[in-house]
Amino acid sequence: MNLKAVVVDDEINSRTILRNYLSKYCPTVKVIGEAGSVAETIEILKSVEHPDIVFLDVEMPYGNAF
């Protein structure tokens, strides 16, 4: 079963590390979008085709994941 994922984190290194871990250990998870801010996240979630999972950074500048 393939899963579509979106990665949300304001730190690009954290997004890169997670993307690499997913690629190495979870090859059935395809990252279909990444965001570095709350505003980017909203736009990505409006434009991508229904992700199965969203990895969220809880504390981000100008808002949080909740």
Side-chain angles (χ1 to χ4, degrees):
M1 174 180 174
N2 292 325
L3 296 174
K4 296 177 284 186
V6 172
V7 176
V8 178
D9 197 311
D10 58 311
E11 297 178 20
I12 192 163
N13 289 339
S14 296
R15 292 195 314 259
T16 301
I17 289 167
L18 178 57
R19 190 176 55 249
N20 289 339
Y21 279 144
L22 290 171
S23 174
K24 183 175 182 177
Y25 297 109
C26 305
T28 61
V29 176
K30 179 183 176 188
V31 177
I32 60 172
E34 290 186 29
S37 69
V38 174
E40 285 179 23
T41 304
I42 292 168
E43 291 305 313
I44 286 177
L45 292 177
K46 286 180 181 178
S47 67
V48 298
E49 45 184 83
H50 307 291
D52 298 302
I53 189 167
V54 179
F55 293 95
L56 295 172
D57 179 6
V58 176
E59 283 297 322
M60 296 194 314
Y62 311 109
N64 64 48
F66 299 108

